[in-house]
Amino acid sequence: MLAQQRQSAILELIRRRGGVRVSHLVSRFGVSDMTIRRDLEVLAERGLIDKVHGGATLAGPGSTEEPGFAAKSARQQAEKRAIVERAAGLVEPGMAVALSAGTTTAALAARLAEVRGLTVVTNSIPVADALYQTDQTVVLTGGIRTPSDALTGPVAEAAIAALNVDLLFLGVHGMSRRTGFTTPNLLEAAVNRRLIGAARRLVVLADHTKWETIGIATIAPLEEADVLITDGGLPEPARRELGEQVGELIVVKVG
């Protein structure tokens, strides 16, 4: 296979999966580590991908670019399902839990419909919709709607300030050691910080593509997470870094 053909195949693979590891590409294409790294360098120079520790992801959007809820729902579906199953195991009947806005938290909401006697606090319209016509008590904040269908602003913040919950499941746009957990929306960051303040424990749900993705606003430093649930696509160096920072790192198998 010619270098140009291999690079096109690598780019298509990254587009389908969101990110790949160098070791996987070495095995898949039967070439050396150095050859793959040169291929990734070529693609990165063309602005098509971002090189990260041990692999590559699609070129990241701007730090304030916020895809809509439907667009994000189509990404990393298998990873999200695995993360959701593990997260649901942390919830016990009778708990008060908060769910931030996000596609992973919306998927978790549907799963929590099966748990008896929950009170669910959320600023997410899709989360509330997922629990519509169930026996759960749902507290939906008011506020200003964002592209990700979150409710934000002073109305949402005031509603959350008076509440206390056992667990907060927080979806994030990105995470890195330098910036912590981030979002591209300033108003959403403020509401998420309120949710963290209302929770006894913080559980962050983030698939591997969120590593080294950075939004404009930091929600919280990595060490503020009691638990971080991610998937096996996360590179080993990132696992070591996160393992040193968060209270507990849970890496789930996909498929």
PDB file of all heavy atoms in Angstrom, residues 55-96:
ATOM      1  N   GLY A  55      -1.570   8.432  19.923  1.00  0.00           N
ATOM      2  CA  GLY A  55      -2.495   8.252  18.817  1.00  0.00           C
ATOM      3  C   GLY A  55      -2.913   9.563  18.187  1.00  0.00           C
ATOM      4  O   GLY A  55      -2.141  10.526  18.154  1.00  0.00           O
ATOM      5  N   ALA A  56      -4.151   9.601  17.680  1.00  0.00           N
ATOM      6  CA  ALA A  56      -4.648  10.797  17.002  1.00  0.00           C
ATOM      7  C   ALA A  56      -6.167  10.835  17.074  1.00  0.00           C
ATOM      8  O   ALA A  56      -6.822   9.799  17.206  1.00  0.00           O
ATOM      9  CB  ALA A  56      -4.197  10.813  15.547  1.00  0.00           C
ATOM     10  N   THR A  57      -6.707  12.048  16.991  1.00  0.00           N
ATOM     11  CA  THR A  57      -8.147  12.258  16.926  1.00  0.00           C
ATOM     12  C   THR A  57      -8.443  13.190  15.762  1.00  0.00           C
ATOM     13  O   THR A  57      -7.522  13.782  15.180  1.00  0.00           O
ATOM     14  CB  THR A  57      -8.691  12.890  18.222  1.00  0.00           C
ATOM     15  OG1 THR A  57      -8.102  14.201  18.378  1.00  0.00           O
ATOM     16  CG2 THR A  57      -8.351  12.037  19.438  1.00  0.00           C
ATOM     17  N   LEU A  58      -9.697  13.318  15.412  1.00  0.00           N
ATOM     18  CA  LEU A  58     -10.074  14.301  14.412  1.00  0.00           C
ATOM     19  C   LEU A  58      -9.680  15.694  14.878  1.00  0.00           C
ATOM     20  O   LEU A  58      -9.668  15.971  16.077  1.00  0.00           O
ATOM     21  CB  LEU A  58     -11.579  14.264  14.155  1.00  0.00           C
ATOM     22  CG  LEU A  58     -12.105  13.197  13.202  1.00  0.00           C
ATOM     23  CD1 LEU A  58     -13.614  13.310  13.091  1.00  0.00           C
ATOM     24  CD2 LEU A  58     -11.475  13.328  11.823  1.00  0.00           C
ATOM     25  N   ALA A  59      -9.345  16.546  13.926  1.00  0.00           N
ATOM     26  CA  ALA A  59      -8.970  17.915  14.278  1.00  0.00           C
ATOM     27  C   ALA A  59     -10.069  18.542  15.103  1.00  0.00           C
ATOM     28  O   ALA A  59     -11.244  18.511  14.726  1.00  0.00           O
ATOM     29  CB  ALA A  59      -8.717  18.738  13.014  1.00  0.00           C
ATOM     30  N   GLY A  60      -9.686  19.063  16.240  1.00  0.00           N
ATOM     31  CA  GLY A  60     -10.667  19.584  17.193  1.00  0.00           C
ATOM     32  C   GLY A  60     -11.312  20.871  16.723  1.00  0.00           C
ATOM     33  O   GLY A  60     -10.699  21.666  15.999  1.00  0.00           O
ATOM     34  N   PRO A  61     -12.553  21.114  17.119  1.00  0.00           N
ATOM     35  CA  PRO A  61     -13.222  22.372  16.813  1.00  0.00           C
ATOM     36  C   PRO A  61     -12.669  23.491  17.676  1.00  0.00           C
ATOM     37  O   PRO A  61     -11.867  23.256  18.579  1.00  0.00           O
ATOM     38  CB  PRO A  61     -14.687  22.085  17.174  1.00  0.00           C
ATOM     39  CG  PRO A  61     -14.579  21.062  18.257  1.00  0.00           C
ATOM     40  CD  PRO A  61     -13.377  20.221  17.919  1.00  0.00           C
ATOM     41  N   GLY A  62     -13.101  24.702  17.418  1.00  0.00           N
ATOM     42  CA  GLY A  62     -12.705  25.813  18.262  1.00  0.00           C
ATOM     43  C   GLY A  62     -13.221  25.630  19.680  1.00  0.00           C
ATOM     44  O   GLY A  62     -14.176  24.886  19.927  1.00  0.00           O
ATOM     45  N   SER A  63     -12.616  26.331  20.611  1.00  0.00           N
ATOM     46  CA  SER A  63     -12.942  26.118  22.016  1.00  0.00           C
ATOM     47  C   SER A  63     -14.327  26.620  22.398  1.00  0.00           C
ATOM     48  O   SER A  63     -14.812  26.339  23.497  1.00  0.00           O
ATOM     49  CB  SER A  63     -11.889  26.799  22.902  1.00  0.00           C
ATOM     50  OG  SER A  63     -11.872  28.192  22.664  1.00  0.00           O
ATOM     51  N   THR A  64     -14.991  27.373  21.488  1.00  0.00           N
ATOM     52  CA  THR A  64     -16.361  27.814  21.769  1.00  0.00           C
ATOM     53  C   THR A  64     -17.370  27.157  20.836  1.00  0.00           C
ATOM     54  O   THR A  64     -18.561  27.455  20.922  1.00  0.00           O
ATOM     55  CB  THR A  64     -16.491  29.345  21.639  1.00  0.00           C
ATOM     56  OG1 THR A  64     -16.150  29.739  20.305  1.00  0.00           O
ATOM     57  CG2 THR A  64     -15.581  30.056  22.621  1.00  0.00           C
ATOM     58  N   GLU A  65     -16.925  26.285  19.954  1.00  0.00           N
ATOM     59  CA  GLU A  65     -17.853  25.617  19.034  1.00  0.00           C
ATOM     60  C   GLU A  65     -18.618  24.535  19.774  1.00  0.00           C
ATOM     61  O   GLU A  65     -18.030  23.674  20.424  1.00  0.00           O
ATOM     62  CB  GLU A  65     -17.094  25.002  17.862  1.00  0.00           C
ATOM     63  CG  GLU A  65     -18.010  24.406  16.807  1.00  0.00           C
ATOM     64  CD  GLU A  65     -17.239  23.936  15.591  1.00  0.00           C
ATOM     65  OE1 GLU A  65     -16.175  24.498  15.304  1.00  0.00           O
ATOM     66  OE2 GLU A  65     -17.709  22.992  14.933  1.00  0.00           O
ATOM     67  N   GLU A  66     -19.943  24.580  19.664  1.00  0.00           N
ATOM     68  CA  GLU A  66     -20.788  23.660  20.417  1.00  0.00           C
ATOM     69  C   GLU A  66     -21.740  22.935  19.479  1.00  0.00           C
ATOM     70  O   GLU A  66     -22.738  23.503  19.037  1.00  0.00           O
ATOM     71  CB  GLU A  66     -21.580  24.427  21.483  1.00  0.00           C
ATOM     72  CG  GLU A  66     -22.379  23.534  22.391  1.00  0.00           C
ATOM     73  CD  GLU A  66     -23.047  24.320  23.517  1.00  0.00           C
ATOM     74  OE1 GLU A  66     -23.041  25.553  23.479  1.00  0.00           O
ATOM     75  OE2 GLU A  66     -23.578  23.668  24.427  1.00  0.00           O
ATOM     76  N   PRO A  67     -21.473  21.654  19.157  1.00  0.00           N
ATOM     77  CA  PRO A  67     -22.392  20.902  18.289  1.00  0.00           C
ATOM     78  C   PRO A  67     -23.753  20.743  18.948  1.00  0.00           C
ATOM     79  O   PRO A  67     -23.873  20.740  20.179  1.00  0.00           O
ATOM     80  CB  PRO A  67     -21.701  19.534  18.149  1.00  0.00           C
ATOM     81  CG  PRO A  67     -20.283  19.768  18.549  1.00  0.00           C
ATOM     82  CD  PRO A  67     -20.320  20.869  19.571  1.00  0.00           C
ATOM     83  N   GLY A  68     -24.797  20.580  18.143  1.00  0.00           N
ATOM     84  CA  GLY A  68     -26.128  20.371  18.682  1.00  0.00           C
ATOM     85  C   GLY A  68     -26.276  18.992  19.304  1.00  0.00           C
ATOM     86  O   GLY A  68     -25.449  18.102  19.102  1.00  0.00           O
ATOM     87  N   PHE A  69     -27.377  18.807  20.043  1.00  0.00           N
ATOM     88  CA  PHE A  69     -27.596  17.551  20.759  1.00  0.00           C
ATOM     89  C   PHE A  69     -27.687  16.377  19.799  1.00  0.00           C
ATOM     90  O   PHE A  69     -27.097  15.314  20.035  1.00  0.00           O
ATOM     91  CB  PHE A  69     -28.883  17.666  21.587  1.00  0.00           C
ATOM     92  CG  PHE A  69     -29.148  16.471  22.451  1.00  0.00           C
ATOM     93  CD1 PHE A  69     -28.632  16.408  23.735  1.00  0.00           C
ATOM     94  CD2 PHE A  69     -29.912  15.411  21.989  1.00  0.00           C
ATOM     95  CE1 PHE A  69     -28.864  15.295  24.536  1.00  0.00           C
ATOM     96  CE2 PHE A  69     -30.150  14.299  22.782  1.00  0.00           C
ATOM     97  CZ  PHE A  69     -29.621  14.249  24.060  1.00  0.00           C
ATOM     98  N   ALA A  70     -28.401  16.536  18.689  1.00  0.00           N
ATOM     99  CA  ALA A  70     -28.573  15.428  17.740  1.00  0.00           C
ATOM    100  C   ALA A  70     -27.243  15.000  17.145  1.00  0.00           C
ATOM    101  O   ALA A  70     -26.965  13.804  16.986  1.00  0.00           O
ATOM    102  CB  ALA A  70     -29.543  15.835  16.631  1.00  0.00           C
ATOM    103  N   ALA A  71     -26.382  15.973  16.815  1.00  0.00           N
ATOM    104  CA  ALA A  71     -25.079  15.647  16.237  1.00  0.00           C
ATOM    105  C   ALA A  71     -24.227  14.873  17.227  1.00  0.00           C
ATOM    106  O   ALA A  71     -23.563  13.892  16.873  1.00  0.00           O
ATOM    107  CB  ALA A  71     -24.365  16.928  15.812  1.00  0.00           C
ATOM    108  N   LYS A  72     -24.230  15.290  18.478  1.00  0.00           N
ATOM    109  CA  LYS A  72     -23.418  14.608  19.485  1.00  0.00           C
ATOM    110  C   LYS A  72     -23.967  13.226  19.827  1.00  0.00           C
ATOM    111  O   LYS A  72     -23.211  12.328  20.200  1.00  0.00           O
ATOM    112  CB  LYS A  72     -23.314  15.474  20.751  1.00  0.00           C
ATOM    113  CG  LYS A  72     -22.477  16.732  20.551  1.00  0.00           C
ATOM    114  CD  LYS A  72     -22.161  17.420  21.859  1.00  0.00           C
ATOM    115  CE  LYS A  72     -23.363  18.099  22.446  1.00  0.00           C
ATOM    116  NZ  LYS A  72     -23.038  18.893  23.650  1.00  0.00           N
ATOM    117  N   SER A  73     -25.280  13.050  19.683  1.00  0.00           N
ATOM    118  CA  SER A  73     -25.888  11.760  20.014  1.00  0.00           C
ATOM    119  C   SER A  73     -25.382  10.640  19.113  1.00  0.00           C
ATOM    120  O   SER A  73     -25.359   9.475  19.505  1.00  0.00           O
ATOM    121  CB  SER A  73     -27.416  11.845  19.893  1.00  0.00           C
ATOM    122  OG  SER A  73     -27.946  12.697  20.881  1.00  0.00           O
ATOM    123  N   ALA A  74     -24.986  10.993  17.881  1.00  0.00           N
ATOM    124  CA  ALA A  74     -24.556   9.979  16.923  1.00  0.00           C
ATOM    125  C   ALA A  74     -23.115   9.522  17.141  1.00  0.00           C
ATOM    126  O   ALA A  74     -22.667   8.567  16.510  1.00  0.00           O
ATOM    127  CB  ALA A  74     -24.710  10.525  15.503  1.00  0.00           C
ATOM    128  N   ARG A  75     -22.392  10.178  18.022  1.00  0.00           N
ATOM    129  CA  ARG A  75     -20.973   9.873  18.208  1.00  0.00           C
ATOM    130  C   ARG A  75     -20.749   8.846  19.322  1.00  0.00           C
ATOM    131  O   ARG A  75     -21.433   8.879  20.336  1.00  0.00           O
ATOM    132  CB  ARG A  75     -20.205  11.158  18.551  1.00  0.00           C
ATOM    133  CG  ARG A  75     -20.310  12.242  17.505  1.00  0.00           C
ATOM    134  CD  ARG A  75     -19.633  13.518  17.976  1.00  0.00           C
ATOM    135  NE  ARG A  75     -19.746  14.591  16.993  1.00  0.00           N
ATOM    136  CZ  ARG A  75     -19.330  15.839  17.200  1.00  0.00           C
ATOM    137  NH1 ARG A  75     -18.770  16.160  18.352  1.00  0.00           N
ATOM    138  NH2 ARG A  75     -19.476  16.753  16.269  1.00  0.00           N
ATOM    139  N   GLN A  76     -19.772   7.954  19.118  1.00  0.00           N
ATOM    140  CA  GLN A  76     -19.313   7.006  20.142  1.00  0.00           C
ATOM    141  C   GLN A  76     -20.484   6.325  20.874  1.00  0.00           C
ATOM    142  O   GLN A  76     -20.517   6.267  22.097  1.00  0.00           O
ATOM    143  CB  GLN A  76     -18.392   7.702  21.157  1.00  0.00           C
ATOM    144  CG  GLN A  76     -16.998   7.956  20.677  1.00  0.00           C
ATOM    145  CD  GLN A  76     -16.923   9.068  19.640  1.00  0.00           C
ATOM    146  OE1 GLN A  76     -17.443  10.146  19.858  1.00  0.00           O
ATOM    147  NE2 GLN A  76     -16.276   8.810  18.514  1.00  0.00           N
ATOM    148  N   GLN A  77     -21.433   5.803  20.117  1.00  0.00           N
ATOM    149  CA  GLN A  77     -22.621   5.228  20.742  1.00  0.00           C
ATOM    150  C   GLN A  77     -22.300   3.991  21.579  1.00  0.00           C
ATOM    151  O   GLN A  77     -22.842   3.811  22.678  1.00  0.00           O
ATOM    152  CB  GLN A  77     -23.666   4.903  19.676  1.00  0.00           C
ATOM    153  CG  GLN A  77     -24.232   6.144  19.007  1.00  0.00           C
ATOM    154  CD  GLN A  77     -25.306   5.819  17.985  1.00  0.00           C
ATOM    155  OE1 GLN A  77     -25.504   4.674  17.603  1.00  0.00           O
ATOM    156  NE2 GLN A  77     -26.014   6.831  17.535  1.00  0.00           N
ATOM    157  N   ALA A  78     -21.434   3.121  21.071  1.00  0.00           N
ATOM    158  CA  ALA A  78     -21.086   1.912  21.833  1.00  0.00           C
ATOM    159  C   ALA A  78     -20.376   2.279  23.129  1.00  0.00           C
ATOM    160  O   ALA A  78     -20.644   1.687  24.184  1.00  0.00           O
ATOM    161  CB  ALA A  78     -20.201   1.004  20.985  1.00  0.00           C
ATOM    162  N   GLU A  79     -19.475   3.247  23.064  1.00  0.00           N
ATOM    163  CA  GLU A  79     -18.756   3.680  24.260  1.00  0.00           C
ATOM    164  C   GLU A  79     -19.719   4.254  25.295  1.00  0.00           C
ATOM    165  O   GLU A  79     -19.619   3.961  26.489  1.00  0.00           O
ATOM    166  CB  GLU A  79     -17.697   4.722  23.891  1.00  0.00           C
ATOM    167  CG  GLU A  79     -16.500   4.169  23.132  1.00  0.00           C
ATOM    168  CD  GLU A  79     -16.724   4.123  21.624  1.00  0.00           C
ATOM    169  OE1 GLU A  79     -17.897   4.258  21.191  1.00  0.00           O
ATOM    170  OE2 GLU A  79     -15.739   3.932  20.885  1.00  0.00           O
ATOM    171  N   LYS A  80     -20.667   5.054  24.814  1.00  0.00           N
ATOM    172  CA  LYS A  80     -21.629   5.664  25.734  1.00  0.00           C
ATOM    173  C   LYS A  80     -22.496   4.606  26.414  1.00  0.00           C
ATOM    174  O   LYS A  80     -22.779   4.711  27.613  1.00  0.00           O
ATOM    175  CB  LYS A  80     -22.513   6.667  24.980  1.00  0.00           C
ATOM    176  CG  LYS A  80     -21.785   7.930  24.575  1.00  0.00           C
ATOM    177  CD  LYS A  80     -22.669   8.819  23.705  1.00  0.00           C
ATOM    178  CE  LYS A  80     -21.901  10.033  23.230  1.00  0.00           C
ATOM    179  NZ  LYS A  80     -22.696  10.861  22.302  1.00  0.00           N
ATOM    180  N   ARG A  81     -22.903   3.583  25.658  1.00  0.00           N
ATOM    181  CA  ARG A  81     -23.725   2.530  26.260  1.00  0.00           C
ATOM    182  C   ARG A  81     -22.971   1.813  27.378  1.00  0.00           C
ATOM    183  O   ARG A  81     -23.535   1.530  28.442  1.00  0.00           O
ATOM    184  CB  ARG A  81     -24.167   1.526  25.189  1.00  0.00           C
ATOM    185  CG  ARG A  81     -25.268   2.027  24.274  1.00  0.00           C
ATOM    186  CD  ARG A  81     -25.874   0.889  23.462  1.00  0.00           C
ATOM    187  NE  ARG A  81     -24.904   0.304  22.559  1.00  0.00           N
ATOM    188  CZ  ARG A  81     -24.719   0.717  21.297  1.00  0.00           C
ATOM    189  NH1 ARG A  81     -25.431   1.723  20.823  1.00  0.00           N
ATOM    190  NH2 ARG A  81     -23.837   0.110  20.523  1.00  0.00           N
ATOM    191  N   ALA A  82     -21.700   1.532  27.138  1.00  0.00           N
ATOM    192  CA  ALA A  82     -20.900   0.847  28.162  1.00  0.00           C
ATOM    193  C   ALA A  82     -20.707   1.727  29.390  1.00  0.00           C
ATOM    194  O   ALA A  82     -20.784   1.260  30.534  1.00  0.00           O
ATOM    195  CB  ALA A  82     -19.546   0.445  27.571  1.00  0.00           C
ATOM    196  N   ILE A  83     -20.462   3.007  29.177  1.00  0.00           N
ATOM    197  CA  ILE A  83     -20.281   3.946  30.294  1.00  0.00           C
ATOM    198  C   ILE A  83     -21.573   4.062  31.104  1.00  0.00           C
ATOM    199  O   ILE A  83     -21.557   4.065  32.335  1.00  0.00           O
ATOM    200  CB  ILE A  83     -19.830   5.319  29.757  1.00  0.00           C
ATOM    201  CG1 ILE A  83     -18.384   5.233  29.236  1.00  0.00           C
ATOM    202  CG2 ILE A  83     -19.942   6.399  30.839  1.00  0.00           C
ATOM    203  CD1 ILE A  83     -17.935   6.455  28.455  1.00  0.00           C
ATOM    204  N   VAL A  84     -22.692   4.141  30.401  1.00  0.00           N
ATOM    205  CA  VAL A  84     -23.993   4.272  31.063  1.00  0.00           C
ATOM    206  C   VAL A  84     -24.295   3.056  31.934  1.00  0.00           C
ATOM    207  O   VAL A  84     -24.792   3.191  33.064  1.00  0.00           O
ATOM    208  CB  VAL A  84     -25.101   4.502  30.008  1.00  0.00           C
ATOM    209  CG1 VAL A  84     -26.479   4.206  30.589  1.00  0.00           C
ATOM    210  CG2 VAL A  84     -25.041   5.932  29.491  1.00  0.00           C
ATOM    211  N   GLU A  85     -24.030   1.871  31.435  1.00  0.00           N
ATOM    212  CA  GLU A  85     -24.299   0.664  32.225  1.00  0.00           C
ATOM    213  C   GLU A  85     -23.505   0.668  33.518  1.00  0.00           C
ATOM    214  O   GLU A  85     -24.020   0.287  34.576  1.00  0.00           O
ATOM    215  CB  GLU A  85     -23.966  -0.587  31.401  1.00  0.00           C
ATOM    216  CG  GLU A  85     -25.013  -0.937  30.373  1.00  0.00           C
ATOM    217  CD  GLU A  85     -26.391  -1.145  30.994  1.00  0.00           C
ATOM    218  OE1 GLU A  85     -26.505  -1.911  31.975  1.00  0.00           O
ATOM    219  OE2 GLU A  85     -27.353  -0.523  30.516  1.00  0.00           O
ATOM    220  N   ARG A  86     -22.263   1.091  33.446  1.00  0.00           N
ATOM    221  CA  ARG A  86     -21.440   1.132  34.660  1.00  0.00           C
ATOM    222  C   ARG A  86     -21.929   2.229  35.606  1.00  0.00           C
ATOM    223  O   ARG A  86     -21.963   2.039  36.825  1.00  0.00           O
ATOM    224  CB  ARG A  86     -19.973   1.375  34.292  1.00  0.00           C
ATOM    225  CG  ARG A  86     -19.015   1.313  35.466  1.00  0.00           C
ATOM    226  CD  ARG A  86     -19.017  -0.078  36.089  1.00  0.00           C
ATOM    227  NE  ARG A  86     -18.117  -0.165  37.232  1.00  0.00           N
ATOM    228  CZ  ARG A  86     -18.451   0.181  38.466  1.00  0.00           C
ATOM    229  NH1 ARG A  86     -19.676   0.652  38.720  1.00  0.00           N
ATOM    230  NH2 ARG A  86     -17.592   0.066  39.456  1.00  0.00           N
ATOM    231  N   ALA A  87     -22.303   3.368  35.057  1.00  0.00           N
ATOM    232  CA  ALA A  87     -22.780   4.473  35.890  1.00  0.00           C
ATOM    233  C   ALA A  87     -24.070   4.114  36.606  1.00  0.00           C
ATOM    234  O   ALA A  87     -24.264   4.451  37.783  1.00  0.00           O
ATOM    235  CB  ALA A  87     -22.980   5.728  35.032  1.00  0.00           C
ATOM    236  N   ALA A  88     -24.962   3.407  35.918  1.00  0.00           N
ATOM    237  CA  ALA A  88     -26.243   3.039  36.523  1.00  0.00           C
ATOM    238  C   ALA A  88     -26.039   2.168  37.755  1.00  0.00           C
ATOM    239  O   ALA A  88     -26.862   2.196  38.690  1.00  0.00           O
ATOM    240  CB  ALA A  88     -27.112   2.319  35.499  1.00  0.00           C
ATOM    241  N   GLY A  89     -24.953   1.407  37.783  1.00  0.00           N
ATOM    242  CA  GLY A  89     -24.679   0.548  38.933  1.00  0.00           C
ATOM    243  C   GLY A  89     -24.337   1.311  40.205  1.00  0.00           C
ATOM    244  O   GLY A  89     -24.335   0.729  41.294  1.00  0.00           O
ATOM    245  N   LEU A  90     -24.083   2.609  40.087  1.00  0.00           N
ATOM    246  CA  LEU A  90     -23.779   3.429  41.263  1.00  0.00           C
ATOM    247  C   LEU A  90     -25.035   3.980  41.935  1.00  0.00           C
ATOM    248  O   LEU A  90     -24.952   4.554  43.017  1.00  0.00           O
ATOM    249  CB  LEU A  90     -22.875   4.604  40.867  1.00  0.00           C
ATOM    250  CG  LEU A  90     -21.520   4.256  40.241  1.00  0.00           C
ATOM    251  CD1 LEU A  90     -20.788   5.538  39.847  1.00  0.00           C
ATOM    252  CD2 LEU A  90     -20.678   3.424  41.188  1.00  0.00           C
ATOM    253  N   VAL A  91     -26.178   3.824  41.283  1.00  0.00           N
ATOM    254  CA  VAL A  91     -27.421   4.428  41.764  1.00  0.00           C
ATOM    255  C   VAL A  91     -28.240   3.400  42.528  1.00  0.00           C
ATOM    256  O   VAL A  91     -28.445   2.280  42.065  1.00  0.00           O
ATOM    257  CB  VAL A  91     -28.243   4.989  40.587  1.00  0.00           C
ATOM    258  CG1 VAL A  91     -29.531   5.624  41.086  1.00  0.00           C
ATOM    259  CG2 VAL A  91     -27.405   6.008  39.802  1.00  0.00           C
ATOM    260  N   GLU A  92     -28.728   3.806  43.695  1.00  0.00           N
ATOM    261  CA  GLU A  92     -29.553   2.936  44.526  1.00  0.00           C
ATOM    262  C   GLU A  92     -30.952   3.521  44.666  1.00  0.00           C
ATOM    263  O   GLU A  92     -31.136   4.745  44.591  1.00  0.00           O
ATOM    264  CB  GLU A  92     -28.919   2.780  45.905  1.00  0.00           C
ATOM    265  CG  GLU A  92     -27.531   2.150  45.870  1.00  0.00           C
ATOM    266  CD  GLU A  92     -26.897   2.097  47.243  1.00  0.00           C
ATOM    267  OE1 GLU A  92     -27.562   2.530  48.225  1.00  0.00           O
ATOM    268  OE2 GLU A  92     -25.745   1.642  47.349  1.00  0.00           O
ATOM    269  N   PRO A  93     -31.967   2.669  44.870  1.00  0.00           N
ATOM    270  CA  PRO A  93     -33.336   3.171  45.040  1.00  0.00           C
ATOM    271  C   PRO A  93     -33.422   4.223  46.141  1.00  0.00           C
ATOM    272  O   PRO A  93     -32.760   4.115  47.173  1.00  0.00           O
ATOM    273  CB  PRO A  93     -34.113   1.906  45.415  1.00  0.00           C
ATOM    274  CG  PRO A  93     -33.344   0.784  44.792  1.00  0.00           C
ATOM    275  CD  PRO A  93     -31.899   1.183  44.913  1.00  0.00           C
ATOM    276  N   GLY A  94     -34.229   5.229  45.888  1.00  0.00           N
ATOM    277  CA  GLY A  94     -34.457   6.258  46.885  1.00  0.00           C
ATOM    278  C   GLY A  94     -33.455   7.394  46.881  1.00  0.00           C
ATOM    279  O   GLY A  94     -33.596   8.352  47.660  1.00  0.00           O
ATOM    280  N   MET A  95     -32.453   7.345  46.024  1.00  0.00           N
ATOM    281  CA  MET A  95     -31.446   8.404  45.969  1.00  0.00           C
ATOM    282  C   MET A  95     -31.992   9.676  45.319  1.00  0.00           C
ATOM    283  O   MET A  95     -32.948   9.638  44.542  1.00  0.00           O
ATOM    284  CB  MET A  95     -30.226   7.953  45.172  1.00  0.00           C
ATOM    285  CG  MET A  95     -29.201   7.171  45.936  1.00  0.00           C
ATOM    286  SD  MET A  95     -27.735   6.873  44.892  1.00  0.00           S
ATOM    287  CE  MET A  95     -26.557   6.341  46.139  1.00  0.00           C
ATOM    288  N   ALA A  96     -31.348  10.794  45.643  1.00  0.00           N
ATOM    289  CA  ALA A  96     -31.526  12.035  44.885  1.00  0.00           C
ATOM    290  C   ALA A  96     -30.276  12.195  44.027  1.00  0.00           C
ATOM    291  O   ALA A  96     -29.159  12.237  44.552  1.00  0.00           O
ATOM    292  CB  ALA A  96     -31.679  13.223  45.822  1.00  0.00           C
TER     293      ALA A  96
END
